Short mmCIF file of all heavy atoms in Angstrom, two decimals:
data_model
loop_
_atom_site.label_atom_id
_atom_site.label_comp_id
_atom_site.label_asym_id
_atom_site.label_seq_id
_atom_site.Cartn_x
_atom_site.Cartn_y
_atom_site.Cartn_z
N ALA A 23 -19.11 7.03 17.89
CA ALA A 23 -17.98 6.73 17.01
C ALA A 23 -16.68 6.98 17.75
O ALA A 23 -16.52 8.00 18.42
CB ALA A 23 -18.05 7.60 15.76
N ILE A 24 -15.75 6.02 17.67
CA ILE A 24 -14.46 6.18 18.34
C ILE A 24 -13.30 6.21 17.34
O ILE A 24 -12.15 6.31 17.73
CB ILE A 24 -14.23 5.06 19.37
CG1 ILE A 24 -14.27 3.68 18.70
CG2 ILE A 24 -15.24 5.14 20.50
CD1 ILE A 24 -13.92 2.54 19.65
N GLY A 25 -13.63 6.16 16.06
CA GLY A 25 -12.59 6.24 15.03
C GLY A 25 -13.10 5.68 13.72
O GLY A 25 -14.18 5.07 13.65
N GLN A 26 -12.34 5.91 12.66
CA GLN A 26 -12.68 5.39 11.33
C GLN A 26 -11.43 4.88 10.65
O GLN A 26 -10.40 5.56 10.61
CB GLN A 26 -13.35 6.46 10.48
CG GLN A 26 -13.82 5.95 9.12
CD GLN A 26 -14.51 7.02 8.29
OE1 GLN A 26 -14.23 8.21 8.43
NE2 GLN A 26 -15.43 6.61 7.43
N ILE A 27 -11.52 3.68 10.11
CA ILE A 27 -10.40 3.06 9.40
C ILE A 27 -10.13 3.81 8.09
O ILE A 27 -11.06 4.23 7.40
CB ILE A 27 -10.70 1.58 9.12
CG1 ILE A 27 -10.86 0.82 10.44
CG2 ILE A 27 -9.63 0.94 8.25
CD1 ILE A 27 -11.58 -0.49 10.31
N SER A 28 -8.88 3.99 7.77
CA SER A 28 -8.49 4.62 6.50
C SER A 28 -7.91 3.56 5.57
O SER A 28 -7.23 2.63 6.02
CB SER A 28 -7.46 5.72 6.75
OG SER A 28 -7.01 6.26 5.52
N LEU A 29 -8.19 3.71 4.28
CA LEU A 29 -7.62 2.82 3.27
C LEU A 29 -6.71 3.62 2.34
O LEU A 29 -6.89 4.82 2.14
CB LEU A 29 -8.72 2.15 2.45
CG LEU A 29 -9.66 1.19 3.18
CD1 LEU A 29 -10.65 0.58 2.21
CD2 LEU A 29 -8.89 0.10 3.91
N ALA A 30 -5.71 2.93 1.79
CA ALA A 30 -4.76 3.55 0.87
C ALA A 30 -4.95 2.99 -0.53
O ALA A 30 -5.32 1.82 -0.71
CB ALA A 30 -3.32 3.31 1.33
N SER A 31 -4.72 3.82 -1.52
CA SER A 31 -4.75 3.37 -2.92
C SER A 31 -3.51 3.88 -3.64
O SER A 31 -2.91 4.88 -3.21
CB SER A 31 -6.02 3.89 -3.62
OG SER A 31 -6.06 5.31 -3.61
N PHE A 32 -3.12 3.19 -4.73
CA PHE A 32 -1.93 3.55 -5.48
C PHE A 32 -2.25 3.58 -6.97
O PHE A 32 -3.08 2.79 -7.45
CB PHE A 32 -0.80 2.54 -5.22
CG PHE A 32 -0.33 2.51 -3.79
CD1 PHE A 32 -0.95 1.68 -2.87
CD2 PHE A 32 0.70 3.34 -3.37
CE1 PHE A 32 -0.52 1.65 -1.56
CE2 PHE A 32 1.12 3.32 -2.05
CZ PHE A 32 0.51 2.48 -1.14
N THR A 33 -1.56 4.46 -7.69
CA THR A 33 -1.74 4.53 -9.14
C THR A 33 -1.26 3.25 -9.81
O THR A 33 -1.89 2.74 -10.73
CB THR A 33 -0.97 5.74 -9.70
OG1 THR A 33 -1.39 6.93 -9.04
CG2 THR A 33 -1.20 5.87 -11.20
N ASN A 34 -0.14 2.71 -9.32
CA ASN A 34 0.43 1.49 -9.89
C ASN A 34 0.68 0.49 -8.77
O ASN A 34 1.74 0.51 -8.13
CB ASN A 34 1.73 1.80 -10.64
CG ASN A 34 2.41 0.55 -11.17
OD1 ASN A 34 1.73 -0.46 -11.43
ND2 ASN A 34 3.72 0.60 -11.32
N GLU A 35 -0.25 -0.39 -8.53
CA GLU A 35 -0.08 -1.39 -7.47
C GLU A 35 1.07 -2.34 -7.76
O GLU A 35 1.70 -2.86 -6.84
CB GLU A 35 -1.39 -2.19 -7.30
CG GLU A 35 -2.55 -1.36 -6.77
CD GLU A 35 -3.82 -2.17 -6.65
OE1 GLU A 35 -3.90 -3.24 -7.31
OE2 GLU A 35 -4.74 -1.74 -5.94
N GLN A 36 1.34 -2.58 -9.06
CA GLN A 36 2.44 -3.49 -9.41
C GLN A 36 3.80 -2.94 -8.99
O GLN A 36 4.77 -3.68 -8.91
CB GLN A 36 2.45 -3.75 -10.92
CG GLN A 36 1.26 -4.56 -11.41
CD GLN A 36 1.25 -5.98 -10.87
OE1 GLN A 36 2.28 -6.53 -10.52
NE2 GLN A 36 0.07 -6.58 -10.77
N GLY A 37 3.85 -1.63 -8.71
CA GLY A 37 5.10 -1.04 -8.28
C GLY A 37 5.37 -1.18 -6.80
O GLY A 37 6.45 -0.80 -6.32
N LEU A 38 4.43 -1.73 -6.03
CA LEU A 38 4.63 -1.92 -4.60
C LEU A 38 5.69 -2.98 -4.33
O LEU A 38 5.79 -3.97 -5.06
CB LEU A 38 3.31 -2.32 -3.93
CG LEU A 38 2.21 -1.25 -3.88
CD1 LEU A 38 0.90 -1.85 -3.39
CD2 LEU A 38 2.63 -0.10 -2.97
N GLN A 39 6.44 -2.78 -3.26
CA GLN A 39 7.52 -3.71 -2.90
C GLN A 39 7.05 -4.64 -1.78
O GLN A 39 6.77 -4.19 -0.67
CB GLN A 39 8.75 -2.93 -2.43
CG GLN A 39 9.88 -3.79 -1.94
CD GLN A 39 10.48 -4.66 -3.04
OE1 GLN A 39 10.73 -4.18 -4.13
NE2 GLN A 39 10.71 -5.93 -2.73
N PRO A 40 6.96 -5.96 -2.04
CA PRO A 40 6.60 -6.89 -0.96
C PRO A 40 7.68 -6.90 0.11
O PRO A 40 8.88 -6.94 -0.20
CB PRO A 40 6.50 -8.25 -1.66
CG PRO A 40 6.37 -7.94 -3.12
CD PRO A 40 7.12 -6.67 -3.33
N VAL A 41 7.27 -6.84 1.38
CA VAL A 41 8.24 -6.81 2.48
C VAL A 41 8.00 -7.93 3.48
O VAL A 41 8.58 -7.95 4.57
CB VAL A 41 8.21 -5.45 3.21
CG1 VAL A 41 8.72 -4.34 2.30
CG2 VAL A 41 6.81 -5.13 3.72
N GLY A 42 7.17 -8.90 3.14
CA GLY A 42 6.88 -10.01 4.04
C GLY A 42 5.76 -9.65 5.01
O GLY A 42 5.36 -8.50 5.15
N GLY A 43 5.25 -10.67 5.67
CA GLY A 43 4.15 -10.43 6.58
C GLY A 43 2.88 -10.01 5.85
O GLY A 43 2.03 -9.33 6.42
N THR A 44 2.75 -10.42 4.59
CA THR A 44 1.62 -10.04 3.74
C THR A 44 1.46 -8.53 3.70
O THR A 44 0.36 -7.99 3.82
CB THR A 44 0.31 -10.69 4.22
OG1 THR A 44 0.59 -11.96 4.77
CG2 THR A 44 -0.67 -10.87 3.06
N ALA A 45 2.58 -7.83 3.54
CA ALA A 45 2.56 -6.37 3.50
C ALA A 45 3.43 -5.87 2.36
O ALA A 45 4.28 -6.60 1.83
CB ALA A 45 3.05 -5.79 4.83
N TRP A 46 3.17 -4.61 1.97
CA TRP A 46 3.92 -3.98 0.90
C TRP A 46 4.38 -2.61 1.36
O TRP A 46 3.81 -2.01 2.28
CB TRP A 46 3.06 -3.82 -0.36
CG TRP A 46 2.66 -5.09 -1.03
CD1 TRP A 46 3.28 -5.70 -2.08
CD2 TRP A 46 1.51 -5.90 -0.73
NE1 TRP A 46 2.61 -6.84 -2.44
CE2 TRP A 46 1.51 -7.00 -1.63
CE3 TRP A 46 0.50 -5.84 0.22
CZ2 TRP A 46 0.55 -7.99 -1.61
CZ3 TRP A 46 -0.47 -6.82 0.25
CH2 TRP A 46 -0.44 -7.88 -0.66
N LYS A 47 5.41 -2.11 0.67
CA LYS A 47 5.91 -0.76 0.92
C LYS A 47 5.74 0.08 -0.35
O LYS A 47 5.80 -0.44 -1.48
CB LYS A 47 7.40 -0.79 1.31
CG LYS A 47 7.69 -1.30 2.71
CD LYS A 47 7.43 -0.22 3.75
CE LYS A 47 7.94 -0.65 5.11
NZ LYS A 47 7.75 0.40 6.13
N GLU A 48 5.56 1.35 -0.14
CA GLU A 48 5.47 2.30 -1.25
C GLU A 48 6.84 2.46 -1.91
O GLU A 48 7.86 2.49 -1.23
CB GLU A 48 4.97 3.63 -0.71
CG GLU A 48 4.93 4.76 -1.72
CD GLU A 48 4.58 6.08 -1.07
OE1 GLU A 48 3.56 6.14 -0.32
OE2 GLU A 48 5.32 7.06 -1.28
N THR A 49 6.86 2.55 -3.25
CA THR A 49 8.11 2.81 -3.99
C THR A 49 7.86 3.94 -4.98
O THR A 49 6.73 4.41 -5.17
CB THR A 49 8.57 1.56 -4.76
OG1 THR A 49 7.63 1.28 -5.82
CG2 THR A 49 8.69 0.35 -3.85
N PHE A 50 8.94 4.37 -5.63
CA PHE A 50 8.80 5.39 -6.67
C PHE A 50 7.90 4.91 -7.79
O PHE A 50 7.11 5.66 -8.36
CB PHE A 50 10.18 5.77 -7.21
CG PHE A 50 10.14 6.80 -8.30
CD1 PHE A 50 9.99 8.15 -8.00
CD2 PHE A 50 10.24 6.42 -9.64
CE1 PHE A 50 9.94 9.09 -9.02
CE2 PHE A 50 10.19 7.36 -10.65
CZ PHE A 50 10.04 8.70 -10.34
N ALA A 51 8.03 3.60 -8.13
CA ALA A 51 7.24 3.04 -9.22
C ALA A 51 5.75 2.97 -8.88
O ALA A 51 4.90 3.09 -9.77
CB ALA A 51 7.75 1.65 -9.57
#
């Protein structure tokens, strides 16, 4: 084993801020 991928989860996914590049940023919401 040379590493393990980590995944993130959020209480409210609708509160994520789209930032382009098919990516999101964490927000207070």
